[in-house]
Amino acid sequence: MSAPPEPPEPPEPAPAYRLETRISARARRLRIEVRSADTVTLVLPRRCSMPQAQAFLAQHQAWIERQRQRLQARPAVPAAAAAPWDGHSPLPLRGEWLPVTHAAHRYRRPALRLQDGQWVLLSHPDQPPDHAALTPLARRALIAEACRTAEHLLHAARAETGLHPTGLRVSDTRAQWGSCSARGVVQLCWRLVCAPPEVMRYVVIHELCHLRHRNHGPRFWTLVAAHCPSYSAHRAWLRQEGAALMRLLPKG
């Protein structure tokens, strides 16, 4: 009697993301871009064969999953954040929405401070803060945190990259997250302090790399990748959440 046939091997589980394949004339090597938790892009140089590309993709599945998990774990910017601050709603800082508590102090002018992982709104017991002053107060507090964070990130990035800017500015830029002037001054949008820390670090690295390459050519991105290997995930976060972040704490 012949042996029963071997049961067929179970099919490999389908990936939990949509795979897009793109051939690039400028690409020098295979590259994977994880722009969102649902979409992965495989970038191929012109002369790369599909079996090579599939093998490359298979070798990097663990890395892809780590990037997808990071994107899934990041809190989105809620639409309500575009409204003026009411003095009670949580405020963002470094990728988290921190609660707000109230406390009394003896000064007539209200203040907003960061303490023990939460925001504390201080006001005089006999003079509650004017509602119109709350949003500017929150903006000033976040700008101060952005300046401190930017100084720390720039100091660490200078030591890591060997690239030295001539100055740093933190401002309310609305058209871009950062820039690097011809004189070597790095400028950052204060709203970056509301994003996850690794996103703000990526923008710092990005602008420092412009000290060596004043364009976005292949050599520029190679330098960025050398100091921030997962930069594509951070760019994806800014593309996905950046518009809402720019509406945060509106003026007037």
Side-chain angles (χ1 to χ4, degrees):
M1 180 180 294
S2 60
E6 293 286 337
E9 293 186 3
E12 293 185 5
Y17 55 82
R18 183 176 73 256
L19 178 64
E20 297 178 350
T21 303
R22 175 163 56 87
I23 298 175
S24 170
R26 300 176 63 182
R28 304 287 183 88
R29 53 184 174 81
L30 281 162
R31 185 172 77 249
I32 299 172
E33 297 177 351
V34 185
R35 300 185 181 277
S36 72
D38 302 322
T39 304
V40 174
T41 303
L42 180 61
V43 182
L44 289 72
R46 275 186 173 175
R47 297 185 179 181
C48 179
S49 68
M50 190 52 67
Q52 283 179 302
Q54 291 173 341
F56 182 81
L57 185 69
Q59 292 170 2
H60 290 81
Q61 285 301 314
W63 179 85
I64 291 171
E65 287 307 312
R66 287 196 299 270
Q67 303 311 310
R68 293 181 64 246
Q69 288 170 12
R70 286 181 183 178
L71 289 169
Q72 288 172 334
R74 290 174 180 171
V77 180
W85 187 50
D86 59 7
H88 298 276
S89 300
L91 287 171
L93 185 68
R94 302 184 184 97
E96 298 182 26
W97 288 87
L98 303 184
V100 176
T101 61
H102 290 243
H105 73 160
R106 59 192 179 91
Y107 301 106
R108 294 287 178 178
R109 179 175 293 182
L112 185 64
R113 296 177 183 171
L114 189 64
Q115 182 178 329
D116 299 328
Q118 62 183 358
W119 292 104
V120 181
L121 179 58
L122 301 165
S123 60
H124 193 279
D126 299 330
Q127 188 173 345
D130 179 37
H131 191 271
L134 290 173
T135 297
L137 182 65
R139 287 169 61 92
R140 288 194 298 271
L142 282 167
I143 289 171
E145 287 297 323
C147 289
R148 284 189 284 269
T149 303
E151 287 281 1
H152 173 76
L153 288 173
L154 197 63
H155 177 77
R158 280 197 304 258
E160 179 185 344
T161 64
L163 299 170
H164 299 276
T166 59
L168 170 67
R169 290 184 60 196
V170 175
S171 58
D172 194 9
T173 55
R174 307 307 295 264
Q176 53 191 355
W177 295 108
S179 63
C180 182
S181 73
R183 295 184 177 182
V185 177
V186 169
Q187 180 169 272
L188 301 172
C189 177
W190 69 264
R191 298 165 187 273
L192 284 167
V193 80
C194 303
E198 62 270 22
V199 173
M200 188 172 184
R201 178 184 177 274
Y202 153 66
V203 177
V204 170
I205 294 290
H206 182 117
E207 301 310 332
L208 282 181
C209 289
H210 278 311
L211 292 171
R212 186 168 296 171
H213 303 291
R214 304 297 302 179
N215 53 52
H216 289 97
R219 288 188 296 175
F220 169 80
W221 289 114
T222 298
L223 185 60
V224 171
H227 300 291
C228 186
S230 54
Y231 75 87
S232 62
H234 310 322
R235 293 181 71 203
W237 192 95
L238 287 172
R239 278 191 292 269
Q240 184 174 340
E241 305 295 342
L245 204 59
M246 282 295 187
R247 294 193 299 269
L248 179 70
L249 300 175
K251 284 185 177 180

